[in-house]
Amino acid sequence: MHLDVEQVRNFYSATGLGSIARRALRDQIMKLWPDTRGQTIAGFGFTPPVLRSFLSSSRRVLSLMPAQQGVVSWPRSRREEGNRSVLVDEARWPVATGFIDRLVVLHGLETSDNPTALIEEIWRTLGPGGRAVFVVPNRSGLWARRDATPFGFGRPYSLMQLESLLQDHQFTPEKHISALYMLPSHKPFWLRTARYWERLSHQLPVPIAAGVLIVEVSKRQHSPAIQGIGEAVRKPLEVLDGMIRPAKDSVSGRNNRRPVRQDAG
């Protein structure tokens, strides 16, 4: 199920809970990618809440928004140069193969109509050594059970489910972290104590109570195809062996090579 782009934007820009969620997600992703100088950063789904931090340091930043969701112009500030949002088909992006260095998927995978086609398109557009971060609702968390936030829509995942899905599509999981441990409530108490719950959460051994799972993956390269015969010949012909080492007489076992006669001189 796709949310309307205006609903998602209003959650992050016009509610206290959305502001806290934006800060928590941005901080975690920035820890994974602290330095993106000279790189092309892209996001799929609704990623402006976390992409803004890359605008000043990266080579270029793109926000790809699925057609089922809709698109809004971004960034909205006049001080920032141009529009960086693009409306795309989730399985056919107007992006060259290997063009992207880093990709964030937020509000994209869990609401996708065809996750397999989406992940294959992500693999195509990532360059050699490229990395992607998938942010999805945690199946065992409270945020996936309430529709008061965008994380209450679509298909939530467990960590094992998400990593298995990505491995099946030639990605290698590198790191996994979690975020949004506070209750998904707009009540003032939970908003005031949100930072405390986020700090406390990272002392837990497993992300059972987390609202979202964050998995970083790298693009797995295919082995180059080997041309020609792949197996060694069991009985190779020894036609030229006599030129390398003298052949022995089959009867006497002596070398057949005759000594070279030298003339006196």
Side-chain angles (χ1 to χ4, degrees):
M1 176 181 179
H2 287 269
L3 291 173
D4 182 77
V5 67
E6 291 289 345
Q7 292 177 301
V8 185
R9 182 174 68 176
N10 290 340
F11 169 74
Y12 284 107
S13 63
T15 69
L17 185 60
S19 177
I20 292 170
R22 179 182 68 242
R23 184 170 57 245
L25 296 177
R26 180 195 61 206
D27 291 348
Q28 292 299 325
I29 293 175
M30 290 300 294
K31 287 179 182 179
L32 292 174
W33 299 339
D35 184 5
T36 58
R37 287 174 294 181
Q39 296 182 345
T40 295
I41 312 298
F44 175 80
F46 189 82
T47 53
V50 297
L51 289 185
R52 181 174 294 277
S53 300
F54 297 107
L55 285 174
S56 59
S57 59
S58 305
R59 182 181 181 185
R60 61 174 65 88
V61 180
L62 303 172
S63 177
L64 308 174
M65 300 189 184
Q68 298 91 331
Q69 168 194 274
V71 66
V72 292
S73 178
W74 177 80
R76 302 175 70 179
S77 173
R78 294 182 180 179
R79 293 176 299 175
E80 291 157 330
E81 184 178 344
N83 173 56
R84 300 169 187 262
S85 291
V86 182
L87 188 69
V88 302
D89 184 317
E90 66 177 14
R92 291 188 296 273
W93 298 357
V95 176
T97 298
F99 181 75
I100 299 172
D101 298 304
R102 297 287 187 269
L103 175 72
V104 178
V105 182
L106 173 63
H107 304 302
L109 180 62
E110 71 271 20
T111 58
S112 172
D113 294 331
N114 190 342
T116 294
L118 171 60
I119 297 175
E120 289 176 351
E121 188 68 354
I122 291 171
W123 197 96
R124 181 188 70 82
T125 55
L126 276 179
R131 298 207 172 198
V133 162
F134 290 82
V135 184
V136 299
N138 182 12
R139 191 179 67 173
S140 62
L142 295 177
W143 286 65
R145 305 178 189 183
R146 293 197 58 193
D147 57 6
T149 78
F151 295 101
F153 296 83
R155 296 179 298 274
Y157 289 85
S158 67
L159 181 60
M160 182 177 295
Q161 288 174 336
L162 179 57
E163 289 188 340
S164 296
L165 176 64
L166 298 175
Q167 286 175 324
D168 290 343
H169 291 83
Q170 303 300 312
F171 283 104
T172 300
E174 300 291 346
K175 295 180 182 178
H176 67 264
I177 52 180
S178 51
L180 305 186
Y181 282 82
M182 60 172 287
L183 290 180
S185 170
H186 294 278
K187 293 183 178 180
F189 170 78
W190 294 109
L191 298 180
R192 288 197 306 268
T193 59
R195 288 182 177 272
Y196 167 77
W197 294 112
E198 288 299 312
R199 288 196 300 266
L200 179 64
S201 66
H202 300 297
Q203 302 176 10
L204 301 177
V206 290
I208 295 177
V212 298
L213 303 174
I214 304 172
V215 174
E216 181 192 26
V217 297
S218 59
K219 180 177 179 178
R220 189 185 309 165
Q221 296 295 321
H222 296 292
S223 299
I226 301 176
Q227 302 295 331
I229 299 175
E231 296 183 359
V233 180
R234 295 181 179 179
K235 296 182 179 180
L237 296 176
E238 299 183 355
V239 177
L240 302 179
D241 279 3
M243 298 180 64
I244 302 174
R245 61 179 183 272
K248 294 183 178 180
D249 190 315
S250 60
V251 177
S252 64
R254 295 176 299 176
N255 291 340
N256 291 333
R257 187 174 59 181
R258 297 179 179 179
V260 178
R261 187 175 182 179
Q262 298 182 355
D263 294 332

